[in-house]
Structure formats: C-alpha cells, structure tokens
Amino acid sequence: MIHGLPSMKSIKSLKSLVKRKTNAQEVSKSGWKMKPFLALMCTALLIFWYKTTNIQFEQTEIEETDYPFDMAKESEAVNDKLKGLPRGIIQSRSDLELKPLWSRGSLRSKGVEMTNRNLLAIPVGLKQKGNVDALVKKFLPANFTIVLFHYDGNMDKWWDLEWSSKSIHIVAQNQTKWWFAKRFLHPDVVSIYDYIFLWDEDLGVENFNPERYLKIVKSVGLEISQPALDHNSTEIHHKITLRSKTKKFHRRVYINRGHKRCSNTSSDPPCTGFVEGMAPVFSKAAWLCTWNLIQNDLVHGWGMDMKLGYCAQGDRTKNVGIVDSEYILHQGIQTLGESVPEKKKTARDVGTRVSCIDSKTFSILILLVFTK
C-alpha cells in the first residue's frame, strides 16, 4: 500500500456515501414532482366536499321552509313514545317529492319549490293511458306533483311516457281511489301542497287550465270545488255540476220541478254546498278534514259527496262551489271492475235524476247499506 493514497475500503465507503446522497436527491426530486398532483387531489376533494355540503344545506333550508319548527311543535307533545328524541329533531311531516341522489339537476328551482305546490292523484288503468297522458300534461306546467294509483297492476307499461319517471307510482290490484287516498295521502304527507286534486281517469281537459282554475278558487274562497261538467258529458248525476255558460262559478242550483226543489233558501246538497266524487279539489285544510271523514273500509265512495260539506271549513253554501269558466268532459268510461254500465245519463236526463231522490232519502239508503 502506498502511503498518501486512500485504501480500497475507504474508496468503497465514499462511493456508498455518494450513492446514498444521489438516491436521497432523486427521492427528494420525485417528492417535489408528486406535490402538485397531491395538491390537485386535495383541491378536488375539498371542492367535492364543499359542493356536497352546500347541496345538503340548501336542501335543509328548503325542507325547513316546508316544515317550519313551529309547525312541528303541535305534534311533539302528542306522543309520549317520542320523548327519547332530542328536542327539535322531531319531523312529523313528509311529502311526495322525489329527491336526487347527488346532483341538483332534478330538483325544482328554489323559487318554485317554496310556493304554489299542488298535487294531482289519479287512479289509472292501462286502457285509459292515452287520456291520462293528455290530462297529466295539462297539470305539469303548473308545478303539480303527480301520483298515479295503478289499480290493474300494469305499472311497467307506463315508463315510455316522458313524465312517468318524475311521478309517483303506487300499485294495488282492483282498489278504488278512496282506498288509495286513505292509505297514501295522509294529511301529514301532503301538508306542503296547497290543493289536492283527487280525480278520475276518464276526464277530458281540453277546456281546462289548472292555473286559471286555482286563481278563481282562491279569489272566491272555495275550500272544496270542482270544474263544471260540459253538457256533452255522458255521466251527469246532479244538475248543480252542469256548466253555466254565463257564469265564472256558482255555488247553488235552482230546480222548480219534481219532489226536490232548490231555491235561494236551500241549504243542503245537492242544491248547494255540493261537488261530485269524480273531480273534487280540496284545500289543505279541507283535505285534513276529508281524510278523517273517509272510513277505512270505504270502497266506492257512494254517498261521500253528500257529506263533503262538513269539511268546508265554515259555511258550505259559501265555501263549496263549481267553477264554470274552466270545465271538463266526463266521459263515463268504467274500466275498474269491468262491469256493464247502466244507461248513461246526459244533461237532458239530469233534471229527472235530481228530482227522483232527495238528500234525506239518500242518507237513509246509505245508512242501510252501512248497517247491513
């Protein structure tokens, strides 16, 4: 070994040191290269978190407007079984609005969401699909939530309609609309809707506009109402439901022949305070009363129209009425049950129909039916 020159061992250790230093520098360089990617990932996660939280906050604001805290107070003290829940968390009401999983795209705009929401509920069968499609399309521009009660079980064959995926579909074989309404339109579920339209499927709406209709209803204070029937309708049972061509709306009818006479002094249905069961429209308060009036074993609803005046939120002769300027055509097509219909009654027959039976006799008949 020559003095003054490094040994082989020291050369190896020096190379090892240089190599470690080079590796450390490379790791440091690669770490710096990764930092922009990590920063980008963190930024994306923060944006996603912010967007999700913001959507949830806006949705909470909407729901708080729908169900304010003072609205829930009335039911908080009712049930002792709820005492274990924290104060203020109880939510006693719901709605029939579809909620999106992530995006706000399918939510209604916030301005529309807060006001003027109404509900259209119809019992439907596949044979009336075309008519129901035309009917629903009249209501969609007016901010209506649509509920279809499928009594024939054929729900899957409705998906080809453009509005079907945005509607609520409920299926139960061979059930009537009153059965569906009692079970699925509880007042606490429909409390955000200003008006509930509980209509049959065989109504023609060529001369009907829901927005103009509701404007009239609100302006004259009708809690329970229905559109007048066109004189060409094939099912007319009471003269009061016939359209008057000279009026915007009416609350009573005048009959001067037969056993049942209707005049200015009449105060009972069907002279006044009366709408028929095929197309009733209820205010929120009137529906709360009507839902409780519907008996759990009610099927066809015969006689219900005679009793709806009890839910008029006051004087039935003032708060129940027929809107003439927005009218419908009752086609009288029976598909539920498929039984052979009786001879159809037109406007010419209705005077005789009304005079044949008065409200007292009708009530006695209904009482006999229920006490069988």
Side-chain angles (χ1 to χ4, degrees), residues 121 149 177-178 181 185 196-200 277-282 287:
F149 301 134
K177 72 176 179 183
W178 300 108
L185 299 183
I196 291 92
F197 287 61
L198 189 57
W199 282 21
D200 287 353
M278 88 263 305
V281 178
F282 304 93
W287 179 248

Side-chain angles (χ1 to χ4, degrees), residues 73-133:
K73 280 182 180 177
E74 61 189 52
S75 60
E76 285 187 10
V78 173
N79 196 340
D80 290 338
K81 295 178 183 178
L82 302 180
K83 286 185 176 178
L85 291 175
R87 179 174 176 79
I89 202 173
I90 295 173
Q91 184 64 269
S92 62
R93 289 171 169 81
S94 184
D95 58 51
L96 293 170
E97 298 298 293
L98 298 175
K99 309 295 182 185
L101 289 177
W102 301 108
S103 171
R104 285 180 295 177
S106 62
L107 282 174
R108 300 182 194 180
S109 64
K110 199 170 179 182
V112 175
E113 189 78 25
M114 303 294 187
T115 59
N116 299 323
R117 280 179 298 186
N118 306 292
L119 180 73
L120 172 66
I122 320 171
V124 300
L126 198 58
K127 291 182 179 180
Q128 293 279 2
K129 182 179 176 182
N131 194 70
V132 172
D133 183 32

Side-chain angles (χ1 to χ4, degrees), residues 47 64 72 75 85 94 96 132 136 150 153 167 173 210 249 258 260 271-272 274 308 322 349:
I47 292 173
E64 284 178 352
S75 60
L85 291 175
S94 184
L96 293 170
V132 172
V136 169
H150 297 271
S167 303
Q173 198 78 24
F249 72 96
K260 180 63 180 178
C271 294
T272 186
F274 178 86
L308 290 178
I322 313 291
D349 307 315

